[in-house]
Amino acid sequence: MRQNYDKIFLQSISDQYDNLGKIDRFFLYTSGYENSNYYIRTREGQYVIKIFEGIEIKTENILFELEAMDFSHKSGIKTPSVLKNSQGELATEVDGKYVCVMAFVDGDNMHKQPLSDSLAIEVAAETAKMDQVLKHFKDGSKTRQNYEWDLKCALILEKFVPLLPKDYDREIFKNVFAEYRKIKQKFLKMPAGLIHNDIVPHNWLVKEGKLKCIIDFSDMVFSPYIQNIAVALHLVAFAYNWNPGQAKLFIQKYSEINPLSGSELKLLYTLIKARMMSFIVEFNRWNVEYEVDQQRVETVNDNYKFLKKFIDFGQNRFDQLVGV
């Protein structure tokens, strides 16, 4: 979980890198939940320190994440540049925790912000290009296995439904799980590879309406490409920026680079509902089993509203929208 650190600890990280210098300004980014991300400024420049805090994340997961991010950046994808430490490595271990340092990218986080059609189209194109680039990686064993944020594993969350607030309609969740069960085997047979799995507005950095960077590879998994689309569309078109028309634009642009079949698109409505359900159930579990975080409480309540609204929108309207 995200933690607070002082300047002394952050400087001990900076000291592992050649010529970064002394930190004169720093602050914690609060848009994420799992890891701790700090902006730092030194006389040499501006950087971001990422401290890996995942509860069940393994060393091999962290190293593979940084390898994939580095490869994407070097392949021309708009992703962060990861610095190598004094030992020539992308990951650094400090006080028993793995960290990395990235070049700072000047841009605004788009969480809960209005999203233009042109930005949605630009992100769709970058998503498709990233999916192409990440085909370089063939071995899925280095990503997190049985991971709650991987839609292949959505059913592991079913046992946590009883933890939901008492005023939540359990029948909604029962139906979402039942619908997911019906499509799961078809879903698992769809074209798959290494995907970012979290290309959502809070992981975009935008400047003057243009995409500058897609950040945070911590949720990447080997899964069907249509999962990457479902994860993105949840928060692009059917959440704070409720704009169903952008789902159509996103899919059209993505398909120009990576064509999607009718069979894939037919699964999309149920997969988006499953993603919304995952947000609600898993973040609520964190609040119950660890500590209550007001930001997570709001996320759970907001996504419960979005899920009900998306169900009311209906599969027929959605399928017509995306051209199924």
Side-chain angles (χ1 to χ4, degrees):
M1 300 292 181
R2 187 177 65 217
Q3 304 288 328
N4 289 304
Y5 294 96
D6 59 22
K7 185 177 179 180
I8 295 174
F9 181 74
L10 297 176
Q11 186 64 57
S12 72
I13 296 171
S14 178
D15 289 343
Q16 305 299 314
Y17 294 77
D18 292 334
N19 303 317
L20 286 196
K22 298 299 181 182
I23 297 172
D24 61 37
R25 182 169 182 251
F26 71 96
F27 61 80
L28 172 67
Y29 291 106
T30 59
S31 59
Y33 294 112
E34 184 178 48
N35 300 304
S36 303
N37 295 282
Y38 277 85
Y39 166 89
I40 65 167
R41 186 184 69 187
T42 74
R43 290 184 179 180
E44 302 302 320
Q46 301 175 86
Y47 309 93
V48 173
I49 292 176
K50 179 173 183 175
I51 304 165
F52 292 88
E53 313 275 14
I55 298 169
E56 296 180 352
I57 195 167
K58 299 178 181 178
T59 299
E60 65 180 3
N61 305 147
I62 295 170
L63 299 181
F64 186 54
E65 172 185 338
L66 296 178
E67 180 185 358
M69 191 188 309
D70 185 56
F71 183 82
S72 296
H73 178 78
K74 290 177 178 176
S75 299
I77 302 300
K78 295 178 181 178
T79 54
S81 172
V82 186
L83 278 61
K84 290 186 177 180
N85 62 23
S86 302
Q87 305 302 314
E89 298 171 341
L90 297 172
T92 302
E93 191 171 4
V94 178
D95 289 355
K97 294 189 176 185
Y98 277 98
V99 305
C100 71
V101 176
M102 298 168 282
F104 171 75
V105 177
D106 185 16
D108 297 321
N109 179 299
M110 298 306 291
H111 182 51
K112 296 186 180 181
Q113 300 301 310
L115 308 176
S116 68
D117 288 353
S118 61
L119 180 58
I121 291 169
E122 187 179 6
V123 172
E126 202 67 15
T127 301
K129 293 174 187 175
M130 187 187 296
D131 283 351
Q132 292 278 11
V133 164
L134 292 178
K135 288 180 180 180
H136 168 81
F137 297 96
K138 307 298 184 184
D139 181 9
S141 65
K142 295 180 182 178
T143 60
R144 290 197 255 192
Q145 306 298 304
N146 299 313
Y147 185 40
E148 61 268 24
W149 296 114
D150 184 354
L151 285 178
K152 297 195 310 293
C153 308
L155 294 177
I156 67 176
L157 297 175
E158 194 167 17
K159 61 186 176 183
F160 300 119
V161 170
L163 300 178
L164 290 170
K166 292 182 179 180
D167 59 340
Y168 279 31
D169 186 350
R170 274 25 179 207
E171 198 67 20
I172 291 175
F173 296 89
K174 178 181 177 181
N175 291 338
V176 172
F177 279 113
E179 291 172 29
Y180 174 81
R181 277 192 173 86
K182 290 180 181 179
I183 69 155
K184 182 177 179 181
Q185 292 309 311
K186 291 181 180 179
F187 170 52
L188 296 179
K189 293 177 182 178
M190 293 296 113
L194 182 62
I195 60 172
H196 181 285
N197 197 41
D198 203 17
I199 300 180
V200 295
H202 64 255
N203 284 331
W204 308 351
L205 297 179
V206 174
K207 191 74 171 179
E208 297 178 349
K210 299 291 185 181
L211 179 69
K212 302 296 290 184
C213 194
I214 295 172
I215 62 174
D216 195 356
F217 278 58
S218 288
D219 281 351
M220 67 179 191
V221 291
F222 274 79
S223 284
Y225 294 113
I226 196 64
Q227 174 172 318
N228 222 15
I229 308 301
V231 168
L233 291 185
H234 162 211
L235 290 177
V236 170
F238 299 105
Y240 301 101
N241 179 65
W242 185 274
N243 188 342
Q246 287 187 353
K248 181 177 181 179
L249 295 174
F250 193 102
I251 290 168
Q252 287 176 338
K253 189 62 182 180
Y254 180 94
S255 295
E256 289 177 9
I257 301 168
N258 282 348
L260 295 167
S261 68
S263 297
E264 289 173 286
L265 292 175
K266 190 66 179 177
L267 303 176
L268 195 49
Y269 178 75
T270 299
L271 292 175
I272 293 173
K273 286 199 295 184
R275 173 66 175 186
M276 291 177 170
M277 175 274 300
S278 299
F279 252 56
I280 298 163
V281 175
E282 181 63 1
F283 282 139
N284 181 74
R285 179 179 76 86
W286 289 10
N287 281 333
V288 171
E289 295 188 355
Y290 302 109
E291 61 180 357
V292 176
D293 177 277
Q294 190 56 41
Q295 187 178 354
R296 285 199 299 266
V297 171
E298 292 174 2
T299 296
V300 170
N301 290 334
D302 289 346
N303 277 274
Y304 182 53
K305 295 174 185 176
F306 301 147
L307 175 58
K308 291 192 292 183
K309 188 174 181 179
F310 190 59
I311 290 170
D312 289 341
F313 188 78
Q315 179 152 11
N316 288 338
R317 287 176 67 189
F318 180 85
D319 286 350
Q320 290 174 5
L321 180 73
V322 301
V324 176

